[in-house]
Amino acid sequence: IGMIPAYAMTTADGLIVTEGATADNYNLKVEWPADGKPTLTMKDATINNNNYGSGLVKHSIRISGTADFVIQVKGTNVINGSLTGDTGSADYVRPNGIYATNTGTLTIQGDSTKDSLWINNNNGHCIRKEYNAFTVEKAFLKISTNNTSANPQYGILLVYVSTGRESMSNLTIRN
């Protein structure tokens, strides 16, 4: 059984709201077709995620579970993230642009290189993918991180997490 699509809009301030979002008018769509992979479609979306203070970890996009997951980009999409205050000492304490702990493959894809995702993140990784593979297909991906803490932050961090089985994280880029 598939999931009925859910729609949302992004405001001029980069906040996510469901009011006014429809199948014809949306910036974000989440769906899980019965015969396909769970998918987040970003259509000319801008997400501003500013975390102020300590103890509040809010990743702009958080993906978990066992399935492969697709982020479909259409047009120009932007994720801006920033953390001020106590940044903590562990990676999981800092907000990430995309934080994926799904054991399947994470794919960011577009229909052409005109479809783009720009991730700007201060004091957090732009993309942190644990387990298995991360793939970019037919999309322009721009990442920028500005680290003002003592701990290193990366544009893309692929993490091998031991689960008692042989697997490695890998990165694939296809045009």
Side-chain angles (χ1 to χ4, degrees), residues 101-154:
T101 59
N102 61 312
T103 54
T105 298
L106 170 62
T107 301
I108 296 175
Q109 69 182 29
D111 293 324
S112 73
T113 54
K114 292 181 181 179
D115 295 321
S116 63
L117 176 58
W118 295 33
I119 304 174
N120 310 298
N121 207 25
N122 295 323
N123 293 322
H125 307 299
C126 290
I127 299 171
R128 179 184 169 117
K129 171 66 175 103
E130 297 179 0
Y131 307 100
N132 289 337
F134 172 54
T135 301
V136 178
E137 294 181 351
K138 294 183 183 177
F140 179 77
L141 178 63
K142 179 181 177 181
I143 53 178
S144 173
T145 183
N146 179 23
N147 184 29
T148 60
S149 73
N151 300 302
Q153 301 303 304
Y154 303 99

Short mmCIF file of all heavy atoms in Angstrom, two decimals, residues 101-154:
data_model
loop_
_atom_site.label_atom_id
_atom_site.label_comp_id
_atom_site.label_asym_id
_atom_site.label_seq_id
_atom_site.Cartn_x
_atom_site.Cartn_y
_atom_site.Cartn_z
N THR A 101 20.27 8.48 8.15
CA THR A 101 20.72 7.26 8.82
C THR A 101 20.00 6.04 8.26
O THR A 101 20.08 4.96 8.83
CB THR A 101 20.48 7.33 10.35
OG1 THR A 101 19.09 7.53 10.58
CG2 THR A 101 21.30 8.45 10.97
N ASN A 102 19.30 6.23 7.13
CA ASN A 102 18.64 5.08 6.50
C ASN A 102 19.71 4.10 6.02
O ASN A 102 20.78 4.50 5.58
CB ASN A 102 17.74 5.51 5.34
CG ASN A 102 18.49 6.21 4.22
OD1 ASN A 102 19.29 7.11 4.48
ND2 ASN A 102 18.23 5.81 3.00
N THR A 103 19.43 2.80 6.14
CA THR A 103 20.42 1.80 5.74
C THR A 103 20.39 1.56 4.24
O THR A 103 21.22 0.84 3.72
CB THR A 103 20.22 0.48 6.51
OG1 THR A 103 18.87 0.05 6.34
CG2 THR A 103 20.53 0.67 7.99
N GLY A 104 19.44 2.15 3.54
CA GLY A 104 19.40 2.05 2.09
C GLY A 104 20.18 3.20 1.46
O GLY A 104 20.83 4.00 2.14
N THR A 105 20.12 3.29 0.15
CA THR A 105 20.82 4.33 -0.61
C THR A 105 20.04 5.64 -0.54
O THR A 105 18.82 5.66 -0.63
CB THR A 105 20.96 3.91 -2.08
OG1 THR A 105 21.76 2.72 -2.14
CG2 THR A 105 21.62 4.99 -2.92
N LEU A 106 20.75 6.74 -0.38
CA LEU A 106 20.17 8.08 -0.49
C LEU A 106 20.55 8.61 -1.86
O LEU A 106 21.73 8.64 -2.23
CB LEU A 106 20.72 9.02 0.59
CG LEU A 106 20.37 10.50 0.43
CD1 LEU A 106 18.86 10.72 0.51
CD2 LEU A 106 21.10 11.34 1.45
N THR A 107 19.55 9.02 -2.65
CA THR A 107 19.79 9.55 -3.99
C THR A 107 19.21 10.95 -4.09
O THR A 107 18.05 11.17 -3.74
CB THR A 107 19.15 8.65 -5.07
OG1 THR A 107 19.70 7.34 -4.96
CG2 THR A 107 19.41 9.19 -6.46
N ILE A 108 20.02 11.89 -4.57
CA ILE A 108 19.54 13.22 -4.94
C ILE A 108 19.54 13.24 -6.45
O ILE A 108 20.58 13.01 -7.08
CB ILE A 108 20.43 14.33 -4.36
CG1 ILE A 108 20.38 14.32 -2.83
CG2 ILE A 108 20.00 15.69 -4.91
CD1 ILE A 108 21.32 15.30 -2.17
N GLN A 109 18.37 13.48 -7.05
CA GLN A 109 18.30 13.43 -8.50
C GLN A 109 17.46 14.54 -9.07
O GLN A 109 16.55 15.05 -8.42
CB GLN A 109 17.78 12.07 -8.98
CG GLN A 109 16.33 11.81 -8.69
CD GLN A 109 15.90 10.43 -9.14
OE1 GLN A 109 16.69 9.49 -9.17
NE2 GLN A 109 14.63 10.29 -9.46
N GLY A 110 17.80 14.91 -10.29
CA GLY A 110 17.03 15.88 -11.05
C GLY A 110 16.79 15.34 -12.43
O GLY A 110 17.15 14.20 -12.74
N ASP A 111 16.19 16.15 -13.28
CA ASP A 111 15.97 15.75 -14.66
C ASP A 111 17.05 16.32 -15.57
O ASP A 111 17.20 15.89 -16.71
CB ASP A 111 14.59 16.21 -15.14
CG ASP A 111 13.47 15.48 -14.41
OD1 ASP A 111 13.64 14.28 -14.12
OD2 ASP A 111 12.45 16.11 -14.13
N SER A 112 17.78 17.31 -15.09
CA SER A 112 18.89 17.90 -15.85
C SER A 112 19.77 18.68 -14.88
O SER A 112 19.42 18.85 -13.72
CB SER A 112 18.36 18.86 -16.93
OG SER A 112 17.89 20.05 -16.34
N THR A 113 20.90 19.15 -15.35
CA THR A 113 21.79 19.92 -14.48
C THR A 113 21.21 21.30 -14.18
O THR A 113 21.78 22.04 -13.40
CB THR A 113 23.20 20.07 -15.10
OG1 THR A 113 23.07 20.62 -16.41
CG2 THR A 113 23.89 18.71 -15.15
N LYS A 114 20.06 21.65 -14.76
CA LYS A 114 19.38 22.90 -14.39
C LYS A 114 18.63 22.72 -13.07
O LYS A 114 18.24 23.70 -12.45
CB LYS A 114 18.42 23.34 -15.50
CG LYS A 114 19.14 23.78 -16.75
CD LYS A 114 18.16 24.21 -17.81
CE LYS A 114 18.92 24.62 -19.07
NZ LYS A 114 18.02 25.03 -20.14
N ASP A 115 18.40 21.49 -12.68
CA ASP A 115 17.78 21.20 -11.38
C ASP A 115 18.89 21.20 -10.35
O ASP A 115 19.91 20.51 -10.52
CB ASP A 115 17.07 19.85 -11.41
CG ASP A 115 15.90 19.85 -12.38
OD1 ASP A 115 15.19 20.87 -12.44
OD2 ASP A 115 15.70 18.84 -13.05
N SER A 116 18.73 21.99 -9.27
CA SER A 116 19.84 22.15 -8.35
C SER A 116 19.40 22.12 -6.90
O SER A 116 18.25 22.41 -6.57
CB SER A 116 20.59 23.46 -8.64
OG SER A 116 19.74 24.57 -8.42
N LEU A 117 20.36 21.77 -6.05
CA LEU A 117 20.19 21.83 -4.60
C LEU A 117 21.44 22.49 -4.05
O LEU A 117 22.54 22.00 -4.24
CB LEU A 117 20.01 20.43 -4.00
CG LEU A 117 19.91 20.37 -2.47
CD1 LEU A 117 18.76 21.22 -1.96
CD2 LEU A 117 19.76 18.92 -2.02
N TRP A 118 21.26 23.63 -3.39
CA TRP A 118 22.34 24.36 -2.75
C TRP A 118 22.16 24.21 -1.25
O TRP A 118 21.10 24.52 -0.72
CB TRP A 118 22.30 25.83 -3.13
CG TRP A 118 22.54 26.11 -4.58
CD1 TRP A 118 22.18 25.34 -5.64
CD2 TRP A 118 23.19 27.24 -5.13
NE1 TRP A 118 22.57 25.92 -6.82
CE2 TRP A 118 23.19 27.09 -6.54
CE3 TRP A 118 23.77 28.38 -4.58
CZ2 TRP A 118 23.76 28.03 -7.39
CZ3 TRP A 118 24.33 29.31 -5.43
CH2 TRP A 118 24.33 29.14 -6.82
N ILE A 119 23.20 23.74 -0.58
CA ILE A 119 23.15 23.58 0.88
C ILE A 119 24.23 24.45 1.49
O ILE A 119 25.41 24.28 1.20
CB ILE A 119 23.34 22.11 1.30
CG1 ILE A 119 22.29 21.22 0.62
CG2 ILE A 119 23.24 21.98 2.82
CD1 ILE A 119 22.50 19.75 0.87
N ASN A 120 23.82 25.38 2.33
CA ASN A 120 24.73 26.27 3.05
C ASN A 120 24.51 25.99 4.53
O ASN A 120 23.41 26.20 5.03
CB ASN A 120 24.41 27.74 2.76
CG ASN A 120 24.31 28.01 1.28
OD1 ASN A 120 25.27 27.84 0.56
ND2 ASN A 120 23.14 28.40 0.82
N ASN A 121 25.55 25.54 5.23
CA ASN A 121 25.36 25.17 6.63
C ASN A 121 26.53 25.68 7.46
O ASN A 121 27.69 25.45 7.12
CB ASN A 121 25.25 23.64 6.76
CG ASN A 121 24.45 23.23 7.97
OD1 ASN A 121 23.61 23.99 8.45
ND2 ASN A 121 24.69 22.05 8.45
N ASN A 122 26.22 26.37 8.54
CA ASN A 122 27.25 26.87 9.45
C ASN A 122 27.25 26.02 10.71
O ASN A 122 26.22 25.84 11.34
CB ASN A 122 26.98 28.33 9.82
CG ASN A 122 27.11 29.23 8.62
OD1 ASN A 122 27.97 29.01 7.76
ND2 ASN A 122 26.25 30.22 8.52
N ASN A 123 28.42 25.51 11.07
CA ASN A 123 28.62 24.70 12.28
C ASN A 123 27.87 23.38 12.24
O ASN A 123 27.45 22.86 13.25
CB ASN A 123 28.27 25.49 13.55
CG ASN A 123 29.23 26.63 13.76
OD1 ASN A 123 30.42 26.48 13.51
ND2 ASN A 123 28.72 27.75 14.21
N GLY A 124 27.73 22.81 11.08
CA GLY A 124 27.14 21.48 10.89
C GLY A 124 27.53 20.98 9.51
O GLY A 124 27.94 21.75 8.66
N HIS A 125 27.43 19.67 9.29
CA HIS A 125 27.73 19.12 7.97
C HIS A 125 26.60 19.49 7.00
O HIS A 125 25.44 19.56 7.40
CB HIS A 125 27.84 17.59 8.04
CG HIS A 125 28.81 17.11 9.07
ND1 HIS A 125 30.15 17.42 9.03
CD2 HIS A 125 28.64 16.35 10.17
CE1 HIS A 125 30.76 16.86 10.07
NE2 HIS A 125 29.86 16.21 10.77
N CYS A 126 26.93 19.68 5.75
CA CYS A 126 25.88 19.92 4.75
C CYS A 126 25.10 18.63 4.53
O CYS A 126 23.88 18.63 4.54
CB CYS A 126 26.48 20.42 3.45
SG CYS A 126 27.14 22.10 3.59
N ILE A 127 25.82 17.53 4.30
CA ILE A 127 25.19 16.22 4.14
C ILE A 127 25.97 15.22 4.98
O ILE A 127 27.18 15.08 4.83
CB ILE A 127 25.18 15.75 2.68
CG1 ILE A 127 24.39 16.74 1.81
CG2 ILE A 127 24.62 14.33 2.56
CD1 ILE A 127 24.51 16.46 0.32
N ARG A 128 25.27 14.51 5.87
CA ARG A 128 25.87 13.42 6.64
C ARG A 128 25.07 12.16 6.32
O ARG A 128 23.88 12.08 6.63
CB ARG A 128 25.83 13.70 8.14
CG ARG A 128 26.45 12.55 8.94
CD ARG A 128 26.33 12.77 10.43
NE ARG A 128 26.68 11.57 11.14
CZ ARG A 128 27.72 11.47 11.98
NH1 ARG A 128 28.48 12.50 12.21
NH2 ARG A 128 27.96 10.33 12.59
N LYS A 129 25.71 11.18 5.68
CA LYS A 129 25.06 9.93 5.30
C LYS A 129 25.76 8.79 6.01
O LYS A 129 26.95 8.60 5.86
CB LYS A 129 25.12 9.73 3.78
CG LYS A 129 24.65 8.36 3.30
CD LYS A 129 23.17 8.15 3.54
CE LYS A 129 22.67 6.84 2.96
NZ LYS A 129 22.48 5.78 3.93
N GLU A 130 24.99 8.04 6.80
CA GLU A 130 25.52 6.86 7.46
C GLU A 130 25.02 5.62 6.72
O GLU A 130 23.94 5.63 6.14
CB GLU A 130 25.07 6.84 8.92
CG GLU A 130 25.61 8.02 9.70
CD GLU A 130 25.16 8.04 11.14
OE1 GLU A 130 24.41 7.14 11.57
OE2 GLU A 130 25.55 8.98 11.85
N TYR A 131 25.81 4.57 6.75
CA TYR A 131 25.49 3.31 6.08
C TYR A 131 25.47 3.49 4.56
O TYR A 131 25.22 4.55 4.04
CB TYR A 131 24.15 2.72 6.52
CG TYR A 131 23.95 2.56 8.00
CD1 TYR A 131 23.22 3.50 8.73
CD2 TYR A 131 24.49 1.48 8.68
CE1 TYR A 131 23.02 3.34 10.09
CE2 TYR A 131 24.30 1.32 10.04
CZ TYR A 131 23.56 2.25 10.74
OH TYR A 131 23.37 2.10 12.08
N ASN A 132 25.70 2.45 3.86
CA ASN A 132 25.51 2.30 2.43
C ASN A 132 25.83 3.51 1.59
O ASN A 132 26.73 4.29 1.90
CB ASN A 132 24.13 1.75 2.13
CG ASN A 132 24.03 0.29 2.54
OD1 ASN A 132 25.03 -0.40 2.64
ND2 ASN A 132 22.83 -0.17 2.79
N ALA A 133 25.10 3.72 0.51
CA ALA A 133 25.53 4.60 -0.57
C ALA A 133 24.80 5.95 -0.60
O ALA A 133 23.68 6.08 -0.15
CB ALA A 133 25.31 3.89 -1.90
N PHE A 134 25.49 6.90 -1.21
CA PHE A 134 24.94 8.22 -1.50
C PHE A 134 25.20 8.49 -2.97
O PHE A 134 26.34 8.38 -3.44
CB PHE A 134 25.62 9.28 -0.62
CG PHE A 134 25.26 10.69 -0.99
CD1 PHE A 134 23.94 11.09 -1.07
CD2 PHE A 134 26.24 11.62 -1.24
CE1 PHE A 134 23.61 12.40 -1.40
CE2 PHE A 134 25.93 12.93 -1.56
CZ PHE A 134 24.60 13.31 -1.64
N THR A 135 24.15 8.84 -3.72
CA THR A 135 24.25 9.02 -5.16
C THR A 135 23.66 10.36 -5.56
O THR A 135 22.63 10.76 -5.04
CB THR A 135 23.49 7.89 -5.91
OG1 THR A 135 24.06 6.63 -5.53
CG2 THR A 135 23.58 8.04 -7.41
N VAL A 136 24.31 11.03 -6.50
CA VAL A 136 23.78 12.26 -7.11
C VAL A 136 23.63 11.97 -8.60
O VAL A 136 24.59 11.55 -9.25
CB VAL A 136 24.73 13.46 -6.91
CG1 VAL A 136 24.17 14.70 -7.59
CG2 VAL A 136 24.99 13.72 -5.43
N GLU A 137 22.41 12.16 -9.13
CA GLU A 137 22.13 11.88 -10.55
C GLU A 137 21.46 13.08 -11.21
O GLU A 137 20.44 13.56 -10.73
CB GLU A 137 21.19 10.68 -10.69
CG GLU A 137 21.76 9.36 -10.24
CD GLU A 137 20.79 8.22 -10.44
OE1 GLU A 137 19.61 8.46 -10.77
OE2 GLU A 137 21.20 7.07 -10.23
N LYS A 138 22.04 13.54 -12.30
CA LYS A 138 21.45 14.59 -13.15
C LYS A 138 20.97 15.79 -12.36
O LYS A 138 19.87 16.31 -12.59
CB LYS A 138 20.31 14.01 -13.98
CG LYS A 138 20.75 13.00 -15.00
CD LYS A 138 19.57 12.55 -15.83
CE LYS A 138 20.01 11.48 -16.80
NZ LYS A 138 18.87 10.96 -17.56
N ALA A 139 21.74 16.23 -11.41
CA ALA A 139 21.40 17.42 -10.62
C ALA A 139 22.69 18.14 -10.26
O ALA A 139 23.74 17.52 -10.11
CB ALA A 139 20.64 17.03 -9.35
N PHE A 140 22.59 19.44 -10.13
CA PHE A 140 23.71 20.26 -9.68
C PHE A 140 23.63 20.37 -8.18
O PHE A 140 22.61 20.79 -7.65
CB PHE A 140 23.64 21.64 -10.34
CG PHE A 140 24.75 22.55 -9.94
CD1 PHE A 140 26.02 22.41 -10.47
CD2 PHE A 140 24.53 23.56 -9.01
CE1 PHE A 140 27.05 23.26 -10.09
CE2 PHE A 140 25.54 24.42 -8.62
CZ PHE A 140 26.81 24.25 -9.18
N LEU A 141 24.69 19.96 -7.48
CA LEU A 141 24.73 20.01 -6.02
C LEU A 141 25.84 20.95 -5.62
O LEU A 141 27.00 20.75 -5.97
CB LEU A 141 24.98 18.61 -5.46
CG LEU A 141 25.10 18.47 -3.95
CD1 LEU A 141 23.80 18.85 -3.27
CD2 LEU A 141 25.49 17.04 -3.59
N LYS A 142 25.48 22.01 -4.89
CA LYS A 142 26.47 22.96 -4.38
C LYS A 142 26.41 22.94 -2.87
O LYS A 142 25.34 23.09 -2.29
CB LYS A 142 26.18 24.37 -4.88
CG LYS A 142 27.18 25.39 -4.35
CD LYS A 142 26.87 26.79 -4.84
CE LYS A 142 27.85 27.78 -4.23
NZ LYS A 142 27.58 29.15 -4.66
N ILE A 143 27.56 22.75 -2.23
CA ILE A 143 27.60 22.69 -0.77
C ILE A 143 28.62 23.69 -0.25
O ILE A 143 29.66 23.91 -0.84
CB ILE A 143 27.92 21.27 -0.27
CG1 ILE A 143 29.18 20.74 -0.94
CG2 ILE A 143 26.75 20.34 -0.51
CD1 ILE A 143 29.60 19.37 -0.47
N SER A 144 28.27 24.32 0.86
CA SER A 144 29.14 25.32 1.47
C SER A 144 28.98 25.25 2.98
O SER A 144 27.86 25.30 3.49
CB SER A 144 28.74 26.71 0.97
OG SER A 144 29.46 27.71 1.66
N THR A 145 30.10 25.11 3.69
CA THR A 145 30.04 25.08 5.14
C THR A 145 31.02 26.09 5.70
O THR A 145 32.12 26.26 5.19
CB THR A 145 30.31 23.67 5.70
OG1 THR A 145 30.16 23.68 7.12
CG2 THR A 145 31.67 23.15 5.33
N ASN A 146 30.60 26.79 6.73
CA ASN A 146 31.43 27.77 7.40
C ASN A 146 31.52 27.36 8.86
O ASN A 146 30.56 27.50 9.61
CB ASN A 146 30.83 29.17 7.27
CG ASN A 146 31.66 30.21 7.98
OD1 ASN A 146 32.85 30.02 8.19
ND2 ASN A 146 31.04 31.31 8.34
N ASN A 147 32.66 26.82 9.23
CA ASN A 147 32.82 26.27 10.57
C ASN A 147 33.45 27.30 11.49
O ASN A 147 34.55 27.75 11.27
CB ASN A 147 33.69 25.02 10.50
CG ASN A 147 33.82 24.34 11.84
OD1 ASN A 147 32.91 24.43 12.65
ND2 ASN A 147 34.92 23.67 12.06
N THR A 148 32.72 27.67 12.54
CA THR A 148 33.27 28.61 13.52
C THR A 148 33.53 27.92 14.86
O THR A 148 33.85 28.57 15.83
CB THR A 148 32.30 29.80 13.75
OG1 THR A 148 31.06 29.30 14.21
CG2 THR A 148 32.11 30.58 12.46
N SER A 149 33.39 26.58 14.88
CA SER A 149 33.66 25.84 16.11
C SER A 149 35.02 25.17 16.00
O SER A 149 35.64 25.15 14.96
CB SER A 149 32.57 24.79 16.37
OG SER A 149 32.72 23.72 15.46
N ALA A 150 35.47 24.56 17.10
CA ALA A 150 36.77 23.90 17.12
C ALA A 150 36.73 22.53 16.45
O ALA A 150 37.77 21.94 16.16
CB ALA A 150 37.24 23.74 18.57
N ASN A 151 35.54 21.99 16.21
CA ASN A 151 35.40 20.66 15.62
C ASN A 151 35.17 20.77 14.13
O ASN A 151 34.39 21.60 13.68
CB ASN A 151 34.23 19.92 16.27
CG ASN A 151 34.45 19.76 17.76
OD1 ASN A 151 35.44 19.18 18.18
ND2 ASN A 151 33.55 20.30 18.56
N PRO A 152 35.83 19.91 13.32
CA PRO A 152 35.68 20.02 11.87
C PRO A 152 34.27 19.68 11.41
O PRO A 152 33.62 18.80 11.97
CB PRO A 152 36.69 19.01 11.33
CG PRO A 152 36.90 18.04 12.44
CD PRO A 152 36.70 18.81 13.71
N GLN A 153 33.81 20.38 10.39
CA GLN A 153 32.53 20.11 9.73
C GLN A 153 32.82 19.93 8.25
O GLN A 153 33.71 20.57 7.71
CB GLN A 153 31.56 21.26 9.96
CG GLN A 153 31.28 21.53 11.42
CD GLN A 153 30.74 20.32 12.15
OE1 GLN A 153 29.74 19.75 11.76
NE2 GLN A 153 31.41 19.88 13.20
N TYR A 154 32.04 19.08 7.59
CA TYR A 154 32.33 18.73 6.21
C TYR A 154 31.15 19.04 5.31
O TYR A 154 30.01 19.03 5.74
CB TYR A 154 32.67 17.24 6.13
CG TYR A 154 33.83 16.86 7.02
CD1 TYR A 154 33.61 16.29 8.26
CD2 TYR A 154 35.13 17.12 6.62
CE1 TYR A 154 34.68 15.97 9.09
CE2 TYR A 154 36.20 16.80 7.45
CZ TYR A 154 35.96 16.22 8.68
OH TYR A 154 37.00 15.91 9.50
#
